[in-house]
Amino acid sequence: MTPPVNGLGLSTRQGIVDGLNRANDDAAVTSIVITGAGGAFSGGADIKEFGTDKSLQEPNLHSVIAAVENSPKPVVAAIHSVCMGGGLELALGCHYRVAAPGCSVALPEVKLGILPGAGGTQRLPRVLGVEAALNMIVSGEAIKSEQKLFDKLVASPEELAAEALAFAQSVADVRPLPLVRNLPCKHPQGDAYFQFARNMVKGMSKNFPAPAKCVDAVEAATKRKFADGLLFERELFINLMWTPESRSLRHLFLAERAASKIPDVPSDTPKRDIKAVAVIGAGTMGGGIAMNFLNAGIPVKMLEMKQEALDRGIATIQKNYEAQLKKGKLKQDKYEQRMALLSTTLSYDDLKDADLVIEAVFEEIGVKEAVFKELDRVMKPGAILASNTSTLDVNKIANFTKRPQDVVGLHFFSPANVMKLLEVVRGDATAKDVLATVMAIAKKIKKTAVVSGVCDGFIGNRMIEQYGRQGGFLLDEGCTPEQVDKAMEKFGMAMGPFRMGDLAGNDIGWAIRKRRYTEKPDMKYSKTADLLCEKGRYGQKTGAGWYDYVPGKRDAIPNAEVVKMIEDHRASLGITPRKISDEEIVQRLVFALVNEAAYILEEGIANKASDIDVVYIFGYGFPVYRGGPLNYANEVGLFNVVQAMNRFAKNPLDDAAFWKPAPLLAKLAAEGKTFN
Ligand code: T1G
């Protein structure tokens, strides 16, 4: 047993082989049952071992499965809860399989950028059929206890042990022992089917090499002898293991789970009970925030100042749900259940029983002060008071109350009912049990939460400001918005910086820059974005921004006037435009994120580098196959990142001071290290 999921690490693999040998050496034993203690049969190979010698050390998983297949006594897998990856491959190597109902059974390796590497692509088609097996392997999705995969499905998990033992006794004398590897594996229209499969997979797996290799491996199962197919699978597996895409996916698998761990908040910290939530503000953010809790079955009371604002807020929530109903993503009964959990009020006094209150009011410190003073007055002791602020100082907000220890930032990303990222902003006084509670409630509402310290812009927006600044300099130096956006979208960003500005609203950045011009007068900015906003071109919400938009459509249509505005501005600065490569565009924008992230790490605003990757993947559309800005910098090599930054610092039109590598980055680069 290796909690939490019986990952098949070296010690577990050794334990299985030792157990098999003991059982086969014991004359009293007539047949053998393998199962997993705790909450899983097995979650597969130990992902934490990947890339280390342990994962290849004998007995490797192939050897364990060979030991099972060559056992002179029958080996029965007693499967429950979770049977995934190498765990399912181990079960397929057993002579028999007995399962409890409701198990989650999958070969999810493709989600890690690899493919089943211990015979799954060769054995699964032999028991499930080629097409069903290929679907499972290419999607990585789980199926519930699939009858054809198992020799017996017991009535309930509680009966599994006894039933599996009885089954093992019933087959003790059956010979020859059945081996999945000896089953036939054919497809009647193999060539046509696999061509079709390749075309399908090609369309869905841009930038990810693994799915196409899954097709090759399963096709080999139908065309080669078992042993040859196994070797072919092994070759494909090892090659995929070393792709940057797989390294990124494995990094993110662990990073997302590590984000919920806060170094100085033990995982057994008692959590407060959150049975009812209040939301202040029924605008776009307030409505989206409320939906997250309604979706998780938690009642929400929404407060506004005026009835019509409440009515508008309710109508927006209904519209969002009705859109999901239309797409078949939500059932009518669920919709009604969720709406029944929503209530509204115009009076703060009605909020007093809520366990968590989240304000999503106008982003102005005076408004926040009024709200938090009221909340301090009405909310019961122990209630958590959260602000959805995206830039304001959570410590200041906490000090508007007499209970700063109960105050925390919950920065949702718009649209709040869709974006997975949640920045949990930890104030100086925020209590540890408040943090533990909000991290747990984040998981309940299916958010990926990352803890940030208090600074302007927290983690994501602080970094995106530098990213946007570089975008502005590039326009001054010779690029068009479209060229920058296309370069970044080719790199893999969901949206380039200018399309993103048009989506979020260029006036938001404008307001921040106006603050900067007074706070940090020496911080250099291109004036182009201000010129654009002075024309009222705030983006999609005004029908025009860097691009033009047709009502109801999101296509960004380049606008000649905007390009001319940029050219005229460039001329007014006496700048001769130069041709700028896509590579320089990508490096300046991404390395700007990396340098600011290094400061964020050394200031302790973020606890670990992987948290910053999680913020950018789940909140800013950074490409998953690059694993996040810091993982990408690791792949490029921090030495090379610093070299590029030194080049950028020599550009008189850029901001040389900014390109001085953050001390942490300079240190890691000099020592040949990575952010990990
Ligand atoms: N290896 C190591 N640790 C694992 C793990 C694994 N396979 N699966 C889960 N964990 C850890 C996870 O990091 C977290 O750790 C804790 O368990 C709870 O996870 C040869 C090579 C099994 C459905 O891809 O899908 O087999 O944060 O929060 O929501 O072909 O974990 O507590 O320190 O996700 O209940 C293939 C991946 C491996 C399964 C449970 N297997 N895991 O979900 O808990 S490759 C997978 C999952 C392979 C062979 C190849 C889920 C789960 P910590 P959790 P959960």
Side-chain angles (χ1 to χ4, degrees), residues 522-541:
D522 55 352
M523 175 78 93
K524 213 173 145 186
Y525 286 88
S526 159
K527 284 283 174 260
T528 40
D530 296 356
L531 294 172
L532 186 82
C533 290
E534 282 157 18
K535 294 172 180 290
R537 294 181 70 100
Y538 293 167
Q540 291 186 26
K541 61 183 168 187

Side-chain angles (χ1 to χ4, degrees), residues 230-490:
L230 215 52
L231 286 174
F232 182 61
E233 175 199 82
R234 191 89 191 128
E235 189 189 313
L236 294 177
F237 172 80
I238 288 169
N239 290 337
L240 285 171
M241 182 65 95
W242 293 105
T243 57
E245 291 82 3
S246 181
R247 280 198 293 269
S248 296
L249 287 168
R250 293 175 348 236
H251 163 71
L252 287 175
F253 175 87
L254 296 174
E256 192 182 354
R257 287 157 180 82
S260 59
K261 292 177 184 56
I262 308 169
D264 64 335
V265 178
S267 55
D268 60 358
T269 302
K271 299 168 184 65
R272 299 185 192 181
D273 231 358
I274 304 293
K275 291 198 181 68
V277 169
V279 174
I280 314 289
T284 317
M285 288 307 283
I289 290 169
M291 287 177 70
N292 291 306
F293 293 93
L294 299 175
N295 298 348
I298 299 172
V300 175
K301 190 177 283 291
M302 262 192 356
L303 175 136
E304 258 294 355
M305 291 292 104
K306 295 198 191 70
Q307 189 56 43
E308 56 270 27
L310 276 180
D311 297 343
R312 261 201 318 276
I314 301 284
T316 309
I317 292 174
Q318 275 168 337
K319 190 163 66 61
N320 286 336
Y321 280 138
E322 278 153 15
Q324 290 175 21
L325 276 173
K326 271 202 205 92
K327 290 180 207 155
K329 289 189 173 168
L330 181 66
K331 295 261 180 299
Q332 182 66 27
D333 61 337
K334 279 262 179 268
Y335 165 50
E336 285 159 10
Q337 272 168 24
R338 289 175 183 179
M339 289 310 290
L341 289 171
L342 178 61
S343 58
T344 60
T345 179
L346 297 172
S347 154
Y348 274 93
D349 293 323
D350 286 351
L351 305 181
K352 64 184 186 327
D353 298 330
D355 307 298
L356 164 66
V357 58
I358 304 170
E359 65 78 17
V361 299
F362 187 62
E363 189 73 349
E364 198 283 310
I365 197 73
V367 176
K368 305 289 189 191
E369 178 172 5
V371 168
F372 273 82
K373 283 205 160 81
E374 269 299 89
L375 293 176
D376 200 23
R377 180 180 65 79
V378 303
M379 301 308 293
K380 66 184 179 187
I384 294 176
L385 317 183
S387 168
N388 173 54
T389 180
S390 55
T391 56
L392 300 176
D393 184 333
V394 170
N395 290 325
K396 245 193 222 150
I397 291 173
N399 291 328
F400 292 144
T401 74
K402 291 186 281 304
R403 46 176 129 175
Q405 72 283 358
D406 295 335
V407 177
V408 69
L410 290 182
H411 177 212
F412 288 83
F413 283 71
S414 182
N417 54 310
V418 174
M419 294 300 283
K420 274 201 77 172
L421 180 66
L422 175 64
E423 277 183 326
V424 171
V425 186
R426 176 177 190 171
D428 298 343
T430 303
K432 292 190 177 183
D433 69 325
V434 166
L435 284 168
T437 304
V438 295
M439 295 306 277
I441 202 77
K443 192 164 184 176
K444 189 168 167 82
I445 62 172
K446 297 191 174 35
K447 293 296 177 190
T448 296
V450 175
V451 174
S452 170
V454 176
C455 71
D456 193 330
F458 314 136
I459 296 173
N461 286 344
R462 172 168 159 182
M463 289 165 61
I464 207 76
E465 184 173 350
Q466 297 307 332
Y467 176 90
R469 235 163 47 97
Q470 285 299 317
F473 295 149
L474 286 164
L475 296 184
D476 289 348
E477 295 171 38
C479 290
T480 61
E482 195 183 10
Q483 183 191 354
V484 175
D485 282 349
K486 286 212 175 328
M488 294 313 292
E489 286 155 22
K490 205 166 115 212

Side-chain angles (χ1 to χ4, degrees), residues 113-124:
I114 47 180
L115 52 68
T121 64
Q122 308 301 305
R123 288 191 179 88
L124 190 65

Side-chain angles (χ1 to χ4, degrees), residues 180-208:
V180 168
R181 64 188 304 152
N182 294 338
L183 295 174
C185 184
K186 283 283 167 253
H187 189 291
Q189 295 86 29
D191 292 345
Y193 170 70
F194 285 106
Q195 189 48 54
F196 162 75
R198 282 193 173 86
N199 295 341
M200 289 293 285
V201 158
K202 202 159 158 229
M204 60 170 254
S205 60
K206 192 164 165 292
N207 304 309
F208 291 96

Side-chain angles (χ1 to χ4, degrees), residues 4-5 43 45-48 50 86 89 108-109 112 116-117 253 257 261:
V5 295
D46 186 340
I47 298 169
K48 292 168 183 147
F50 285 172
E89 292 173 300
E109 289 85 342
L112 297 172
F253 175 87
R257 287 157 180 82
K261 292 177 184 56

